Amino acid sequence: MKSILVLGAGRSCSTLIKHLLERSEDCDWKVVVGDIDLAIARQKIANHPMGEAFKLSSTDNIERDKRICESDLVMSMVPPFLHVSVAKVAIAAGVSVITPSYLSPEMEALDESAKKAGVLVLNEIGLDPGIDHMSAMQIIDEIKADGGKMIGFESYCGGLVATESDNNPWHYKISWNPRNIVLAGQGGSATFKDNGRIKLEPPHRVFRRLRPVDIDGCLYKGYPNRDSLAYEKTYNLEGVKTLIRGTLRVDGFCRSWDILVQLGMVRDDVHLVWDEGISWSEWTRSFLPASTASMTVSEAINSTVVSDHETNKRLEWLGLFDIETGPSKASGSPAQIIEALLIDKWVLDEGDRDMVVMWHRFEYEKDGKRYEKTSQFALEGTDSVYTAMSDTVGLPMALAAEHMLVEGGFGRVGVDIPVSSVYYQPLLPKLKELGIVFKESLRTIS
Amino acid sequence: MKSILVLGAGRSCSTLIKHLLERSEDCDWKVVVGDIDLAIARQKIANHPMGEAFKLSSTDNIERDKRICESDLVMSMVPPFLHVSVAKVAIAAGVSVITPSYLSPEMEALDESAKKAGVLVLNEIGLDPGIDHMSAMQIIDEIKADGGKMIGFESYCGGLVATESDNNPWHYKISWNPRNIVLAGQGGSATFKDNGRIKLEPPHRVFRRLRPVDIDGCLYKGYPNRDSLAYEKTYNLEGVKTLIRGTLRVDGFCRSWDILVQLGMVRDDVHLVWDEGISWSEWTRSFLPASTASMTVSEAINSTVVSDHETNKRLEWLGLFDIETGPSKASGSPAQIIEALLIDKWVLDEGDRDMVVMWHRFEYEKDGKRYEKTSQFALEGTDSVYTAMSDTVGLPMALAAEHMLVEGGFGRVGVDIPVSSVYYQPLLPKLKELGIVFKESLRTIS
């Protein structure tokens, strides 16, 4: 019997662990789950006979490393900065690793030693990155094999809320790491290619130049993510004219979120201490000029940035104009204060269902004609635990695990990401069976 | 005979070294100047019989540390991150250190060992920080000693160009580190207090909320610098309602510079590679939406951000719309490309004179009345080498050195900054003799 070690059992691991357990008898494997919070690991195992929960220490790695050495495959769901430390131990023990996180330069540096050990460290095999890589590369490879020449590629993905559970004016609820939601777009300039030109958008402009995307009759808006230019090499798209990867939100969200960005309410670079018991209204005035002190907060915002009625309604709904209530903790960075507020306001309540949407656009030339192909999927979650986010992160990982342990593997060693056919050929059809179904459309554009 | 060691001989050291040499016979000291570029160190010494030049190694500190141990006082003019390494060697050798740079936490951590060694490590004794500390604290201490209660404090300083040498539409030339000019205001959020409230301004807003300042009939605009809140403690201003430290520019400069900030043209967080031979006009389009491709660059800017005729004239004067010329190096961060352009366009030509201005505003209550006191100075440089910037950075340092080596010292040991009377009482009168003369005015405001 083989043994799969899952490190971390947080909200994004629900489907991964459930699916691995469901497949445990057929695949003849044991699923060992470790978390700093033993109760959470136990909850995810739910007394399954093939499951085992243990406690990860927060002070040393003795137990973790022992478990890695005893396992046949490690699913690393720890905070991203810890993946390299997990991978080093696994490589030394000759154990392969799967992570959903972005490949870091430190991880890339382990390529040589992973190859020597005959081990695969497969990164970016979740939703975005993950399903996006596989679904995009399948079509790019097809277009090229068919004699087409790629001209442009755009790809957007969003973790949203299902229409039936959408009962707030932001049309948004939290299905993943809330800190990442607050800091979205603020980590650095977005760079991409648009119509043959390199473009840069600073963090204070990303929520302003939006790409409209229609998925199943619903209007979304996309904003560009950090470094799209790197994908020219990663996706073999050298010489392409347009290259943008980004994030999708329901129409209107970005316009209102931009006001928080403009005012500095999501800055994470200063620690401030406000008066104990400060109201939200007073707190919001920290981001407004002293000259607006005699206005209402809503008027003050309108006189400081270009806002609109809908946006002010959304800010009011968040409670930012309240004079009776205030931040529960009146010190921290503005981003930390806003994060605590959003965790409360944008909670995915029991019974709520989230939704994941992904949309690719491929522009190419063939036989003197220009074509546009789009490919998209939308998936709703089951409930607030087995979310579409948890499904789309966990299922590609679980399927990759099964392929590696039961079906002979991908024939790769070293540190890798799933951008080649060895990954998408076996995995995409199985994702389809599990409900992640891409719909394509093609039209001639000249 | 004593020996003063000056580490670094760049443009900001001209006056410091000249003044130390001029005082060398009266003070009976030798002036030893080291620089990575021996020619620059020699040029600054200019064959003075009391001067000695030597070469600083860029690969090891052997020569530097030997020189530190042989000296009686070190003037550290090296890049800021190197001050701590200099101070450690000096403390171990029992030698005091003077630097014009901001006190870093790493430097502060040396306080104990400096005290044990009986050594003074005096930081922030240049212009800003330096002269600002001493001139502000003298008045704050006076107001308090006179029974006044401080209500507000604002302080602005700027390195500008003298009116007679002002022949460009930006009314600006470079008298200090060009990289710092390009990145001004972009290092992090500005925090301050305004009318009783804590305020935060993100980097993309600092050039928008400007404080008008009239100095000798000339209108300047001030923008807030990084962390003014810390000065509540540093200046003993606990409970004050308004507390802002900032930078001054000629009216109009900030409004136009803001466009570069808005468009992302001074971002330093991405390295981009443009096509070889790209024109400035094409380069500028990197920061404009693809939808503006059919417009002229000037029109495209107007349709993207809120610009104005004067600003577009200034951008055009910089050459950013040129179709014939382009960046000499077409790779780097936007900030690096702009820096190379500005070094050329905003050069302080031979014969050009720069100007330094500083303005403080003190608001206080006394006997039920409210008062406003302002204190200001403006100083023009001699030429493009002995600039007002070099004078105002170098003279407080040189005077502090003389006080320490010849006049018995400040009676302080440890790591310090000049915010107490032991510094400003001896130094401000001597700065006045050398032309740095503050003019004060007082009015009742209620």
Side-chain angles (χ1 to χ4, degrees):
Chain A
M1 181 186 291
K2 300 239 165 132
S3 171
I4 298 184
L5 177 66
V6 182
L7 295 173
R11 65 190 302 170
S12 60
C13 307
S14 310
T15 306
L16 170 65
I17 296 169
K18 181 165 171 268
H19 190 86
L20 290 175
L21 287 169
E22 282 170 3
R23 298 289 302 149
S24 58
E25 279 175 48
D26 281 0
C27 297
D28 193 30
W29 63 40
K30 206 171 64 173
V31 181
V32 182
V33 177
D35 197 279
I36 289 181
D37 185 340
L38 179 60
I40 285 184
R42 282 195 176 132
Q43 192 188 32
K44 293 286 193 304
I45 292 295
N47 291 318
H48 196 286
M50 303 299 270
E52 180 189 342
F54 73 99
K55 188 174 156 55
L56 275 175
S57 163
S58 56
T59 51
D60 69 67
N61 294 328
I62 300 167
E63 180 70 12
R64 183 197 78 174
D65 295 351
K66 185 175 83 74
R67 298 283 187 164
I68 292 174
C69 295
E70 289 167 2
S71 69
D72 295 287
L73 180 63
V74 177
M75 318 295 279
S76 186
M77 302 296 281
V78 294
F81 73 97
L82 291 172
H83 289 313
V84 169
S85 136
V86 168
K88 279 183 181 166
V89 177
I91 290 168
V95 179
S96 287
V97 179
I98 294 178
T99 97
S101 301
Y102 277 106
L103 177 58
S104 64
E106 297 74 33
M107 189 67 105
E108 235 177 323
L110 301 181
D111 185 52
E112 190 91 350
S113 64
K115 277 180 179 146
K116 271 190 198 145
V119 151
L120 174 62
V121 180
L122 182 56
N123 306 269
E124 307 193 9
I125 178 91
L127 166 63
D128 167 18
I131 294 177
D132 56 347
H133 289 336
M134 295 190 284
S135 53
M137 285 311 299
Q138 185 177 46
I139 293 180
I140 290 169
D141 287 348
E142 273 170 17
I143 288 169
K144 288 181 177 175
D146 195 37
K149 182 175 175 263
M150 286 293 296
I151 308 286
F153 173 66
E154 291 173 77
S155 175
Y156 293 90
C157 182
L160 307 164
V161 61
T163 315
E164 63 183 53
S165 304
D166 176 2
N167 55 3
N168 77 51
W170 289 84
H171 310 298
Y172 192 80
K173 294 191 179 185
I174 296 176
S175 62
W176 57 298
N177 187 335
R179 183 168 162 79
N180 290 354
I181 291 169
V182 173
L183 298 181
Q186 301 308 293
S189 298
T191 53
F192 51 94
K193 265 179 113 170
D194 201 352
N195 259 313
R197 284 195 176 98
I198 287 177
K199 299 283 178 185
L200 178 148
E201 274 180 8
H204 59 271
R205 290 196 66 79
V206 287
F207 293 106
R208 302 198 144 189
R209 183 198 149 280
L210 304 170
R211 140 72 85 178
V213 171
D214 185 305
I215 298 179
D216 297 337
C218 195
L219 182 62
Y220 301 94
K221 292 282 176 72
Y223 64 87
N225 271 343
R226 213 154 165 165
D227 180 17
S228 297
L229 294 174
Y231 286 81
E232 200 161 341
K233 190 160 168 247
T234 308
Y235 283 4
N236 300 319
L237 289 170
E238 281 85 357
V240 87
K241 299 288 182 198
T242 296
L243 182 51
I244 311 178
R245 290 176 87 248
T247 300
L248 280 183
R249 291 286 175 264
V250 168
D251 187 33
F253 178 98
C254 293
R255 197 175 67 240
S256 299
W257 185 258
D258 185 48
I259 299 303
L260 273 68
V261 171
Q262 292 309 314
L263 293 176
M265 297 174 89
V266 293
R267 293 294 300 185
D268 199 37
D269 59 349
V270 284
H271 182 99
L272 291 173
V273 181
W274 286 269
D275 292 338
E276 267 311 310
I278 190 176
S279 70
W280 279 114
S281 158
E282 275 297 303
W283 186 81
T284 301
R285 287 194 192 274
S286 307
F287 308 92
L288 297 165
S291 58
T292 62
S294 64
M295 306 175 190
T296 67
V297 177
S298 173
E299 288 166 355
I301 289 174
N302 289 335
S303 87
T304 306
V305 287
V306 183
S307 190
D308 58 76
H309 181 67
E310 249 185 326
T311 292
N312 280 13
K313 281 296 203 194
R314 289 186 183 119
L315 300 179
E316 189 178 2
W317 180 87
L318 283 179
L320 289 170
F321 305 161
D322 279 10
I323 51 172
E324 306 278 324
T325 67
S328 56
K329 194 166 163 249
S331 67
S333 73
Q336 287 168 336
I337 306 278
I338 287 285
E339 181 186 339
L341 176 69
L342 296 183
I343 286 173
D344 179 39
K345 297 283 177 178
W346 285 349
V347 66
L348 205 60
D349 274 319
E350 223 180 297
D352 272 351
R353 296 165 63 196
D354 73 326
M355 178 170 63
V356 161
V357 290
M358 186 177 283
W359 182 84
H360 302 303
R361 177 182 181 275
F362 309 83
E363 194 176 329
Y364 63 98
E365 271 176 2
K366 198 192 147 192
D367 304 330
K369 274 192 178 166
R370 192 173 282 212
Y371 298 90
E372 176 192 79
K373 179 175 266 191
T374 59
S375 172
Q376 63 191 59
F377 86 88
L379 182 77
E380 294 193 355
T382 306
D383 54 34
S384 64
V385 174
Y386 297 100
T387 58
M389 184 58 76
S390 151
D391 289 352
T392 50
V393 170
L395 292 176
M397 294 184 73
L399 294 174
E402 186 166 339
H403 197 74
M404 287 164 77
L405 290 188
V406 182
E407 292 152 7
F410 299 108
R412 288 277 175 110
V413 290
V415 175
D416 208 1
I417 63 171
V419 289
S420 98
S421 60
V422 303
Y423 298 104
Y424 67 67
Q425 267 171 7
L427 298 181
L428 285 178
K430 290 189 184 167
L431 283 169
K432 193 173 176 181
E433 282 171 30
L434 293 169
I436 297 167
V437 184
F438 279 86
K439 283 190 267 183
E440 293 182 14
S441 75
L442 178 68
R443 66 183 186 103
T444 317
I445 51 175
S446 74
Chain B
M1 184 187 287
K2 301 240 164 128
S3 172
I4 298 182
L5 177 66
V6 183
L7 294 173
R11 64 191 300 171
S12 60
C13 307
S14 308
T15 306
L16 169 65
I17 296 169
K18 181 165 171 268
H19 190 86
L20 289 174
L21 287 169
E22 282 171 2
R23 298 290 301 148
S24 59
E25 278 176 49
D26 280 359
C27 296
D28 193 30
W29 63 38
K30 206 169 65 174
V31 181
V32 182
V33 177
D35 197 278
I36 289 179
D37 186 341
L38 179 61
I40 286 185
R42 281 195 176 134
Q43 190 188 34
K44 292 287 194 303
I45 291 295
N47 290 319
H48 194 286
M50 304 299 271
E52 181 189 341
F54 73 99
K55 188 174 157 54
L56 274 175
S57 163
S58 56
T59 51
D60 70 65
N61 293 326
I62 299 167
E63 179 71 13
R64 182 196 79 172
D65 295 350
K66 183 173 84 75
R67 298 283 186 163
I68 292 174
C69 295
E70 290 167 0
S71 70
D72 295 287
L73 180 63
V74 176
M75 318 296 279
S76 186
M77 303 296 282
V78 294
F81 73 95
L82 291 173
H83 289 314
V84 168
S85 135
V86 168
K88 279 182 180 166
V89 177
I91 290 168
V95 178
S96 287
V97 179
I98 294 177
T99 96
S101 301
Y102 277 105
L103 177 59
S104 65
E106 297 74 34
M107 189 66 105
E108 237 177 322
L110 301 181
D111 186 52
E112 190 92 350
S113 65
K115 277 181 178 145
K116 269 189 198 147
V119 152
L120 174 62
V121 180
L122 182 57
N123 306 269
E124 305 193 11
I125 178 91
L127 165 63
D128 167 15
I131 294 176
D132 57 348
H133 289 336
M134 294 191 283
S135 53
M137 285 311 298
Q138 184 176 49
I139 292 178
I140 291 169
D141 288 347
E142 273 170 17
I143 288 169
K144 288 181 176 175
D146 196 35
K149 181 175 174 264
M150 286 293 296
I151 306 288
F153 173 67
E154 291 172 77
S155 175
Y156 293 91
C157 182
L160 307 164
V161 61
T163 314
E164 63 181 55
S165 304
D166 175 1
N167 55 3
N168 77 52
W170 288 85
H171 309 298
Y172 192 80
K173 294 191 178 185
I174 295 175
S175 62
W176 56 297
N177 187 334
R179 181 166 163 80
N180 290 353
I181 290 169
V182 173
L183 298 180
Q186 300 307 292
S189 299
T191 53
F192 51 92
K193 265 180 111 171
D194 202 351
N195 261 313
R197 285 195 176 96
I198 287 176
K199 299 283 178 186
L200 179 148
E201 275 179 9
H204 59 270
R205 289 196 66 79
V206 289
F207 293 107
R208 301 197 145 191
R209 184 198 149 280
L210 304 169
R211 140 70 88 177
V213 171
D214 185 306
I215 297 179
D216 298 337
C218 195
L219 182 62
Y220 301 94
K221 292 284 176 70
Y223 64 88
N225 271 343
R226 212 153 167 165
D227 180 16
S228 297
L229 295 174
Y231 286 81
E232 202 162 338
K233 190 159 168 248
T234 308
Y235 284 4
N236 300 317
L237 289 171
E238 280 85 357
V240 88
K241 298 288 180 197
T242 295
L243 181 51
I244 311 177
R245 292 176 86 249
T247 300
L248 281 183
R249 292 284 176 265
V250 168
D251 187 35
F253 178 97
C254 293
R255 198 175 67 239
S256 300
W257 185 257
D258 185 48
I259 298 304
L260 274 69
V261 172
Q262 292 310 315
L263 294 176
M265 298 174 89
V266 293
R267 295 292 301 186
D268 198 38
D269 60 348
V270 283
H271 183 100
L272 292 171
V273 181
W274 286 270
D275 292 338
E276 269 310 310
I278 191 176
S279 70
W280 279 113
S281 159
E282 274 298 303
W283 186 81
T284 299
R285 287 194 193 273
S286 307
F287 308 92
L288 297 165
S291 58
T292 61
S294 64
M295 307 177 190
T296 67
V297 177
S298 172
E299 287 166 357
I301 289 175
N302 288 336
S303 86
T304 306
V305 287
V306 183
S307 190
D308 58 75
H309 182 67
E310 250 186 326
T311 292
N312 280 14
K313 280 295 204 195
R314 289 186 184 120
L315 299 179
E316 189 178 4
W317 180 87
L318 282 179
L320 289 170
F321 305 163
D322 280 10
I323 51 172
E324 305 279 322
T325 67
S328 54
K329 193 167 163 250
S331 68
S333 72
Q336 287 169 335
I337 306 278
I338 288 285
E339 180 186 339
L341 176 68
L342 295 183
I343 286 173
D344 178 39
K345 295 285 177 175
W346 285 349
V347 66
L348 206 58
D349 274 319
E350 223 181 297
D352 271 352
R353 296 164 63 196
D354 73 327
M355 178 169 63
V356 160
V357 290
M358 184 177 284
W359 181 84
H360 303 305
R361 177 181 180 274
F362 309 83
E363 195 176 327
Y364 62 99
E365 270 176 0
K366 198 192 147 193
D367 304 330
K369 274 192 179 163
R370 194 173 278 213
Y371 298 90
E372 177 192 80
K373 181 176 264 190
T374 58
S375 171
Q376 65 191 58
F377 87 87
L379 182 76
E380 296 193 354
T382 306
D383 55 35
S384 64
V385 175
Y386 296 101
T387 58
M389 184 59 78
S390 150
D391 289 352
T392 51
V393 171
L395 292 176
M397 294 185 73
L399 294 174
E402 187 167 337
H403 196 74
M404 287 164 76
L405 289 187
V406 182
E407 291 152 6
F410 298 107
R412 290 275 176 110
V413 290
V415 174
D416 208 1
I417 62 171
V419 288
S420 97
S421 60
V422 303
Y423 299 105
Y424 66 69
Q425 268 171 5
L427 298 182
L428 285 178
K430 289 187 185 168
L431 283 168
K432 191 171 175 182
E433 283 171 27
L434 294 168
I436 297 166
V437 183
F438 278 87
K439 282 191 266 181
E440 292 182 15
S441 75
L442 178 68
R443 67 184 184 103
T444 317
I445 53 174
S446 73

